[in-house]
Each structure stands twice: as structure tokens, then as C-alpha cells.
Amino acid sequence: MTSSPTPLRLGVNIDHVATIRNARRGEHPDPVKAALLAVKAGADGITAHLREDRRHIRDEDIATLIAALSVPLNLEIAATREMLDIALKHKPHAACIVPEKREEQTTEGGLDAAGQIDALRPVVAALSDAGIRVSLFIEPDPAQIEAAIKLGAPVVELHTGRYAELDGAKRAQELRRLSDAAALAAKNGIEPHAGHGLTFDNVGPIAAIPQVVELNIGHFLIGEAIFGGLECAIREMRRQMDLVR
Ligand code: PXP
């Protein structure tokens, strides 16, 4: 008898709705409205990254998101005192610890958990003690999984950015690394998630890794939504203009 595969959760990252909003420093488009639409469309959770420079969501978005959502919020944060205090104040369902460099365009590479176990230990402990499910965003590397085990993290999110950028044999090799890392994590009681750079074209092989429980996808979905929704928005503007002429 074959056992049915683990259901695969979709976490939708709404950061880039906030990026567009912030371009005019106003309220539109509202990332909370986008999050509710994502849930209506089948998202199992919402992910948002509070960056040091607040280029994506802003502090006040966290409470609004938590109040509005019927699904878990996964808050991405750097392992800093400021971000730890914010997470402890709002107590999102999950906190994903990511590396953060001020000048980077997006999260570049996974967290070096193996290289900073002592610094991460109190952060993971404080979040866990507050009932927040801790996830570490790491490269698909056995040394990083070992570090997650030592830190007692219940979840790792495997960085699929390199996989997304590569092609041919190199992509196949990176897919194997991801698959092996997911198996190693699951074998050790850690729930493997994955994300970064996923698109319609490259999501299939990642979604097929049987141990992976959740994918977090943002930029592509928000970009793709332009093509799905632009025509509708322009038609409505045309209609509003024509109504008075
Ligand atoms: N997971 C993590 C930890 C991330 O930092 C990001 C990007 O913010 C994503 C997933 C989503 O990546 P993308 O926006 O490329 O889909």
C-alpha cells in the first residue's frame, strides 16, 4: 500500500505589494488586502519580511496582518535585538530567521547557522519560549541542518535561490542537494520548508520533494499578478472615465 504524500502548504509572501505601496509612501496597494486575497485563492499562510530599512512591510502592518488573518503569519526577521523584541511583542505563528544585509536587493543566500550557533541560541530560545515556531532559512547543506538540530529549531526553510538561478546539470545537482537536505531534516524531526525564486516553470521539482511541507513564494506571484490583473484595472478606469463623458 502506498502512503499518500504529505500535503504541501503554500505560504504567500506579500512583501512586494508593500514595496509598491511604499514607492508612494501611501496606503495603496494594501498588503493586508493582498494577504486576504491570497488566502481566498488557497494560500495556507502568509509570509512577510520586516527589514531593518522597512522597505517591505512596516511595523504597523504586523498587528494588522495578525488581526485580519485566519491563517498563520510567518514573520521573516534578522537575528537582531530589535527584530527579536518586535517578534516577541506580536507573537506571530512563526518566525523565520534570515540573514540580512542592508545593501542587498533580496535575501542573498541562507543563514550561516553553523557559523553562529552561540549567537543564534538565545534568539531561537526566546522565540520558542514565547510559543513562536522558529524556522531557519538555510542553504541545503548538511552542516546547516546539523546546526538547526543543535539549536532545536523545529523548522528549516531551504534556500532554493541557487536552484532557481541555475540550469541543466548544475540545476539537477542543486535539486539533489535540496532533496537530500529535506530528507536529512525530516529524519531528524525537523520540518523542511523551501523557498526563494520559485516560479511556474521551476516549482514542480521542488514541490515533488516528498518531505517538503511548505513553499514560500512571493516575487514571482506579485509580478505575475500584474499580467493577470492589469487588463481588468485599465478597463475599469476606462469605464469610470467614459461614465462622465
Ligand atoms: N523565503 C524567504 C526566507 C525569503 O526571504 C523570501 C524572499 O523574501 C522568500 C522565501 C520568497 O522568495 P521570492 O520572493 O523570490 O519568491
Side-chain angles (χ1 to χ4, degrees):
M1 203 172 75
T2 55
S3 58
S4 52
T6 324
L8 182 58
R9 295 166 46 84
L10 170 61
V12 172
N13 182 316
I14 45 94
D15 284 342
H16 295 291
V17 179
T19 310
I20 299 172
R21 175 195 62 186
N22 300 348
R24 290 282 173 96
R25 298 198 176 88
E27 300 303 322
H28 180 82
D30 178 8
V32 178
K33 186 174 171 186
L36 293 174
L37 204 57
V39 174
K40 192 172 157 208
D44 302 290
I46 296 296
T47 294
H49 186 174
L50 185 71
R51 277 183 169 268
E52 185 194 11
D53 64 6
R54 309 305 197 259
R55 80 172 82 142
H56 298 321
I57 62 159
R58 305 189 285 236
D59 298 56
E60 60 271 25
D61 292 324
I62 302 172
T64 320
L65 277 167
I66 290 174
L69 286 175
S70 57
V71 297
L73 175 68
N74 173 35
L75 183 67
E76 292 179 6
I77 51 169
T80 63
R81 183 72 243 178
E82 181 198 18
M83 291 301 152
L84 178 61
D85 288 343
I86 292 171
L88 293 176
K89 178 174 160 206
H90 293 284
K91 295 194 175 52
H93 168 82
C96 179
I97 304 180
V98 297
E100 196 175 303
K101 287 189 237 130
R102 189 176 265 271
E103 62 284 3
E104 70 191 353
Q105 295 286 319
T106 181
T107 312
E108 292 167 358
L111 181 76
D112 181 16
Q116 44 180 327
I117 290 212
D118 290 341
L120 288 171
R121 204 182 293 282
V123 179
V124 173
L127 292 167
S128 301
D129 289 350
I132 301 168
R133 196 162 162 79
V134 178
S135 163
L136 303 178
F137 183 56
I138 55 170
E139 292 298 322
D141 172 351
Q144 299 298 343
I145 308 273
E146 290 301 327
I149 296 167
K150 285 189 190 138
L151 285 163
V155 178
V156 290
E157 181 170 329
L158 301 172
H159 181 222
T160 51
R162 271 175 55 79
Y163 157 84
E165 279 169 12
L166 295 169
D167 50 28
K170 288 193 170 150
R171 174 178 280 193
Q173 192 183 354
E174 186 66 9
L175 180 61
R176 259 192 311 277
R177 266 170 35 96
L178 285 157
S179 172
D180 291 348
L184 181 63
K187 200 173 109 197
N188 285 283
I190 296 182
E191 190 174 287
H193 297 182
H196 211 280
L198 296 178
T199 68
F200 291 152
D201 288 339
N202 66 24
V203 73
I206 300 296
I209 300 173
Q211 296 86 358
V212 170
V213 170
E214 180 175 304
L215 299 182
N216 283 302
I217 308 180
H219 184 267
F220 174 79
L221 288 174
I222 305 309
E224 193 64 17
I226 294 174
F227 302 117
L230 187 60
E231 188 180 339
C232 177
I234 292 171
R235 281 188 200 287
E236 177 59 16
M237 186 57 80
R238 180 78 261 168
R239 195 183 71 80
Q240 294 285 344
M241 289 161 56
D242 293 344
L243 272 179
V244 292
R245 294 292 277 265

